[in-house]
Amino acid sequence: MPQPLNYLRETASQTAGPYVHIGLAPGAAGFDLFEKELGTDIAGPNAKGERITVEGTVIDGMGAPLKDVLIEVWQANAAGIYPHPADRRAGEVEEGFRGWGRVISNFETGLFSFETIKPGSVPGRPAAHPPRRSADEEAKDALGRGRQDQRPMAPHLNLWIVARGINIGLNTRMYFSDEEEANAKDPVLNLIEQVDRRPTLIAKRGERDGKVVYRFDIRLQGENETVFLDV
Amino acid sequence: MTRMGRIGSNTGPGAAEYFQRDRTLHPPAYTPNYKTSVARSPRYALLSLQNSLSEVTGPTFGHSDLGPLDNDLILNYAHDGEPIGERIIVHGRVLDETGRGVPNTLVEFWQANAGGRYRHKKDTYLAPIDPNFGGCGRTLTDEDGYYYFRTVKPGAYPWRNWVNNWRPAHIHFSVFGAGFVQRLITQMYFEGDPLLPHCPIVKSIPDQDAIDQLIAPLDLNAAVPLDCLAYKFDIVLRGSRSTLFENRLEGN
Ligand SMILES: [Fe+3]
């Protein structure tokens, strides 16, 4: 017998269940308990950049909207900086910018909606080896060996979706329809081999009452199933 | 400062790449004995990503986010008395797969009352609401990853799946970790619960060791004599690379 490796094993996931709001959004469950509910303000008052609204529904395999879903949002600020020590520019983030929020769908309609600022482009992974090849070759390799290249990532929101019936939180990303050029070069969108599935990650920009509103529907299953990520 | 395992020149000292998730121990998306999963499970394979800054970062929390009674479910909703039920302490550590404690991370928990009823407008079970029990709390781990809270033991409750399904007593947990890829929601169960082998949600986990890891043992040493019993529940989040081939990962 070889030596044991002695790693611990990750704790298994279990569904958030139908009453997830009690724990994570008690106001929505119908009672006030905490002085401060977390995740209600993603960008804070001082964030620079374009103020936007994002709305949509999460749709099940039978075409019905989920009325008990909870989504967490994690994003960079307008300069593409995450407020986290792993981002060496974290100190430049505006005071009060948390970059994280919790959103629940409406109990009657299933519509979710949140306000934030549009994030900037974020640095991608570095090359795993010193670049030996031309940018052209590097781009062609996006599918060949499936290595994400070091090009910057197009502006995006990172989303994490939990609900009753979802056994382990689903990760996905929301990109922006008005960033065509950046989206075309995005190393993650380019990893999606089936080109016609890429639009499932792109929110459509529109306007309502003078405000910018992006529509983003998430399809758990069935036609146009959203691309979910194993991060 | 350890630069080990950093994922690039844009990253600061806390940027480590996480171990891939062992999906064989987690429940798959589609578990037909848990009926709600049938229409809520993606059918296509997930797209595997290598970590970028978007994955290794995540929200951070501080004590200013919390109230003084947030980790005491016996007192945090007490109006004209304390809640009915078996008084318990739940304590343990949040660790990563390398065995290191995860410091200063937010742990949230929610549960039914001692009769098995949630304080939620969608819960219509006939067991009564406890006027002195809210059923949710939260805390930050300390520098060693340790956390604790006080509550009453939740009751089992029936749910509509098969006609006679009952959830074993459980407490829901939400944990953050340092990077968004460590995000985890799970449930803690209690040692000796006879409902455990009958629950389709428990059995959505395909690995018996992984199920056992969700079962908190009675911990008499942490009990408060004549006051409160205790259960111990450690939570393991994904680990991160620390020493291997640092220079290559740096790309220099
Ligand atoms: Fe429950």
Side-chain angles (χ1 to χ4, degrees):
Chain A
M1 289 280 278
Q3 296 179 10
L5 272 171
N6 287 332
Y7 287 112
L8 302 177
R9 297 176 88 205
E10 189 187 8
T11 297
S13 170
Q14 291 269 262
T15 179
Y19 308 120
V20 57
H21 317 90
I22 289 183
L24 306 187
F31 68 109
D32 289 320
L33 191 142
F34 297 133
E35 284 169 39
K36 195 167 160 189
E37 195 147 318
L38 297 173
T40 53
D41 187 358
I42 300 173
N46 305 312
K48 299 184 189 90
E50 185 176 38
R51 297 266 156 186
I52 61 170
T53 299
V54 177
E55 63 179 35
T57 48
V58 181
I59 300 159
D60 73 14
M62 295 186 277
L66 271 62
K67 297 172 181 175
D68 52 10
V69 71
L70 182 138
I71 301 172
E72 287 191 5
V73 183
W74 173 240
Q75 67 165 94
N77 73 357
I81 307 172
Y82 284 106
H84 182 277
D87 192 320
R88 70 189 172 114
R89 297 182 297 163
E92 300 166 34
V93 168
E94 302 90 338
E95 163 95 44
F97 180 86
R98 184 155 242 173
W100 171 78
R102 263 180 189 153
V103 184
I104 62 162
S105 59
N106 183 285
F107 286 168
E108 270 75 49
T109 64
L111 190 77
F112 68 80
S113 176
F114 59 94
E115 288 174 17
T116 184
I117 54 100
K118 193 176 164 193
S121 159
V122 173
R125 283 177 62 82
H129 306 280
R132 291 180 298 250
R133 301 172 298 164
S134 70
D136 247 17
E137 283 173 305
E138 202 58 65
K140 281 181 197 143
D141 188 41
L143 283 179
R145 263 165 289 179
R147 207 168 61 211
Q148 288 157 242
D149 63 43
Q150 68 272 44
R151 286 177 300 194
M153 299 188 285
H156 63 277
L157 309 179
N158 304 287
L159 305 179
W160 188 68
I161 301 155
V162 294
R164 174 173 70 104
I166 295 178
N167 287 326
I168 180 165
L170 295 169
N171 291 90
T172 189
R173 288 186 178 192
M174 188 197 102
Y175 289 86
F176 298 85
S177 64
D178 52 315
E179 295 284 345
E180 266 177 67
E181 208 175 310
N183 291 343
K185 293 182 195 153
D186 180 82
V188 171
L189 287 173
N190 276 291
L191 272 183
I192 304 171
E193 197 172 338
Q194 300 79 10
V195 176
D196 55 358
R197 295 192 71 205
R198 293 178 190 171
T200 66
L201 300 190
I202 299 173
K204 283 201 178 54
R205 184 183 176 101
E207 248 182 64
R208 195 171 58 222
D209 306 329
K211 285 164 105 181
V212 177
V213 180
Y214 285 91
R215 176 79 191 192
F216 190 60
D217 291 319
I218 298 167
R219 292 185 169 76
L220 298 181
Q221 192 191 93
E223 204 180 341
N224 293 318
E225 180 179 308
T226 298
V227 173
F228 296 103
L229 307 171
D230 187 6
V231 292
Chain B
M1 169 182 101
T2 171
R3 300 188 314 137
M4 308 295 186
R6 282 172 56 186
I7 61 164
S9 53
N10 295 298
T11 58
E17 191 161 5
Y18 287 90
F19 302 162
Q20 79 174 6
R21 180 164 256 162
D22 178 359
R23 295 222 169 231
T24 65
L25 69 81
H26 289 285
Y30 175 70
T31 48
N33 288 333
Y34 173 24
K35 293 181 181 179
T36 314
S37 76
V38 171
R40 295 183 170 195
S41 43
R43 287 294 190 269
Y44 294 132
L46 305 177
L47 177 70
S48 291
L49 291 193
Q50 292 170 281
N51 287 175
S52 71
L53 213 44
S54 292
E55 283 77 41
V56 303
T57 56
T60 52
F61 301 93
H63 287 282
S64 60
D65 289 316
L66 306 183
L69 291 178
D70 282 4
N71 73 339
D72 191 347
L73 281 68
I74 287 181
L75 293 183
N76 72 9
Y77 204 74
H79 293 296
D80 51 11
E82 295 189 359
I84 300 289
E86 187 178 320
R87 299 157 66 85
I88 62 169
I89 290 164
V90 177
H91 76 123
R93 290 178 75 204
V94 179
L95 306 159
D96 74 12
E97 289 169 296
T98 69
R100 286 182 290 231
V102 180
N104 309 314
T105 200
L106 184 67
V107 182
E108 299 162 289
F109 18 88
W110 67 100
Q111 63 169 89
N113 68 23
R117 175 80 181 264
Y118 283 95
R119 183 176 287 279
H120 190 291
K121 50 183 153 192
K122 297 280 232 9
D123 188 356
T124 54
Y125 179 38
L126 50 79
I129 291 278
D130 184 329
N132 294 307
F133 190 68
C136 69
R138 54 198 188 185
T139 188
L140 285 174
T141 59
D142 71 10
E143 60 276 12
D144 299 315
Y146 183 73
Y147 76 92
Y148 66 93
F149 62 95
R150 194 167 73 146
T151 185
V152 295
K153 190 174 173 189
Y157 60 84
W159 60 298
R160 284 191 172 274
N161 186 59
W162 300 332
V163 74
N164 193 24
N165 275 138
W166 293 76
R167 294 304 323 281
H170 62 277
I171 300 176
H172 297 265
F173 275 77
S174 153
V175 195
F176 279 83
F180 208 46
V181 295
Q182 288 181 300
R183 194 80 181 81
L184 182 74
I185 280 183
T186 190
Q187 302 182 27
M188 180 200 107
Y189 302 100
F190 293 85
E191 176 183 4
D193 192 325
L195 287 167
L196 279 165
H198 301 286
C199 177
I201 289 178
V202 173
K203 292 203 290 190
S204 68
I205 298 171
D207 180 306
Q208 186 58 47
D209 290 339
I211 292 175
D212 293 345
Q213 204 173 318
L214 296 183
I215 303 172
L218 177 71
D219 182 359
L220 270 181
N221 290 341
V224 180
L226 307 176
D227 178 341
C228 198
L229 279 171
Y231 287 84
K232 180 165 179 285
F233 187 54
D234 288 339
I235 299 165
V236 181
L237 305 180
R238 289 165 67 181
S240 53
R241 299 183 66 155
S242 56
T243 56
L244 302 173
F245 298 104
E246 144 181 38
N247 291 335
R248 285 219 183 161
L249 286 171
E250 287 286 321
N252 51 18

